[in-house]
Amino acid sequence: MSAAIVEFMEELATDVAKQRAFRQDPEQYLAHTQLSQQQRQAVLSGQARPIRSMMAEHSATQEQMEPAIVMRTELA
């Protein structure tokens, strides 16, 4: 799954102008994004579950490909 859905949701959540444009005409706004048809349908449905699922797919893929090392230091 592409990162497009994650990037789209992050931008929409943080950019007031994009929020306004989306509310005015969601289909027109989505037509100018990098989202797949399936992702656009999920956004237009207004259902959180399919959107979260698509975002989780991307996140799980990224976590497998880019593992992080967590180091813990103890303060005396």
Side-chain angles (χ1 to χ4, degrees):
M1 186 62 60
S2 76
I5 189 73
V6 174
E7 293 169 9
F8 171 81
M9 294 305 291
E10 287 175 352
E11 289 176 3
L12 196 59
T14 59
D15 189 319
V16 175
K18 290 180 180 183
Q19 293 168 14
R20 285 188 194 121
F22 178 76
R23 278 194 304 263
Q24 286 178 344
D25 191 344
E27 290 183 21
Q28 177 69 20
Y29 185 85
L30 290 172
H32 300 286
T33 67
Q34 297 294 318
L35 298 180
S36 69
Q37 187 61 33
Q38 181 184 14
Q39 292 168 331
R40 290 177 188 172
Q41 289 174 344
V43 171
L44 288 172
S45 77
Q47 300 294 314
R49 178 172 278 162
I51 297 168
R52 278 196 305 256
S53 176
M54 290 176 186
M55 292 176 72
E57 280 181 36
H58 173 72
S59 295
T61 302
Q62 288 299 95
E63 288 173 12
Q64 290 173 3
M65 294 173 59
E66 299 175 18
I69 298 173
V70 178
M71 298 182 71
R72 191 172 184 193
T73 58
E74 305 264 338
L75 297 176

